[in-house]
Every structure is written in structure tokens, then in C-alpha cells.
Amino acid sequence: NMLYNESSEELARKMFQQFKNSLGHYSNMIDERYVTHNFELTQASNGPGSSYVLYYGAHIFELK
């Protein structure tokens, strides 16, 4: 559901929503043992001449 011409902010919002909609990720997001949450979104080309773009997201947690 991510489009090539979307802003990085919109892509990050969509990725965050996907993590939030995942029961396992959401459980971690509201777990008070974690003091920080970081989201990283990386965009990569699918190869020379390809019109496809790959997006990779990571949700990183830090324990107290």
C-alpha cells in the first residue's frame, strides 16, 4: 500500500500504522519495560531500470 511518490513522512506513518495493527508489535509498543522505540524506514531500488522500489522497515526497542 505504499506508493513511490509518497513523502518519507507518509511512508513512515503507514509503516507505523502497520506495526500498530500487528498484535505482537503493538504488545511490545505498549510494554512499559521498553524505554525507547525507534522506527527506521529504508528505500531501495529493485535493480537498474526497474520501476519497483522496495521498502524495509524496522522497529527497535530498548529495555529499561
Side-chain angles (χ1 to χ4, degrees):
N1 297 336
M2 296 182 186
L3 303 174
Y4 179 71
N5 60 349
E6 289 182 299
S7 70
S8 57
E9 290 82 9
E10 183 60 26
L11 292 172
R13 270 192 287 279
K14 284 185 173 185
M15 183 66 67
F16 174 80
Q17 192 62 47
Q18 288 177 351
F19 279 120
K20 192 175 173 184
N21 290 342
S22 163
L23 182 58
H25 284 96
Y26 185 70
S27 294
N28 286 331
M29 290 166 68
I30 63 172
D31 189 327
E32 293 180 2
R33 293 177 299 163
Y34 296 110
V35 293
T36 61
H37 298 263
N38 294 295
F39 290 90
E40 181 176 332
L41 182 63
T42 301
Q43 174 182 319
S45 171
N46 197 30
S50 175
S51 60
Y52 294 98
V53 176
L54 303 174
Y55 296 98
Y56 299 93
H59 189 184
I60 303 163
F61 300 95
E62 180 183 352
L63 288 169
K64 287 184 182 178

